[in-house]
């Protein structure tokens, strides 16, 4: 089993240990922070990174170029800012993805 450890530093800032890697999550400047992405941004980024990994593996599996692969995540918060209300992932691939594979890739 893997472990991720989150340790409070000060105010709303936390240090996240993921294996041998560490990063900081914080709140934006207006909320007294900005030493790192917000936890919500990190959550959405993790979904985008997973999408990018699996999109790349799909391209490689089908013998397609993966060099210009980009995944963009747009997200919106609920009106009361209590949760993420929507996330849209957009996969941009290099030219050459046959139309018959496009749907499977997406």
């Amino acid at each position: 089993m893997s472990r991720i450890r989150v340790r409070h530093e000060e105010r709303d800032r936390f240090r996240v240990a993921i294996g041998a890697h560490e990063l900081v999550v914080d709140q934006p400047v207006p909320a007294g922070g900005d030493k790192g992405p917000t936890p919500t941004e990190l959550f959405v980024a993790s979904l985008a990174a997973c999408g990018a990994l699996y999109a790349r593996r799909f391209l490689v599996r089908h013998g397609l170029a993966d060099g210009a692969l980009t995944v963009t995540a747009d997200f919106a918060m609920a009106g009361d800012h209590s949760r993420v209300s929507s996330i849209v992932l957009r996969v941009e691939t290099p030219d050459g993805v046959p139309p018959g594979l496009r749907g499977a890739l997406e």
Side-chain angles (χ1 to χ4, degrees):
M1 179 178 287
S2 298
R3 174 176 286 174
I4 295 173
R5 184 172 185 223
V6 180
R7 186 180 76 244
H8 178 250
E9 288 196 334
E10 65 178 68
R11 298 183 52 124
D12 287 335
R13 184 169 64 219
F14 295 85
R15 183 161 303 274
V16 182
I18 307 167
H21 308 284
E22 284 194 351
L23 60 105
V24 172
V25 295
D26 201 356
Q27 293 300 302
V29 170
D34 207 26
K35 297 293 183 187
T38 68
T40 303
E41 290 167 334
L42 187 59
F43 167 69
V44 175
S46 71
L47 292 176
C50 283
L53 171 70
Y54 287 105
R56 181 191 173 273
R57 287 183 175 178
F58 178 92
L59 294 171
V60 169
R61 186 170 59 249
H62 291 281
L64 301 168
D66 63 354
L69 173 66
T70 303
V71 174
T72 303
D74 294 308
F75 70 100
M77 298 297 291
D80 63 359
H81 294 275
S82 63
R83 62 183 173 79
V84 175
S85 63
S86 68
I87 301 171
V88 176
L89 294 181
R90 186 173 42 261
V91 179
E92 300 168 40
T93 60
D95 293 335
V97 176
L101 289 178
R102 188 75 193 168
L105 171 64
E106 292 174 354

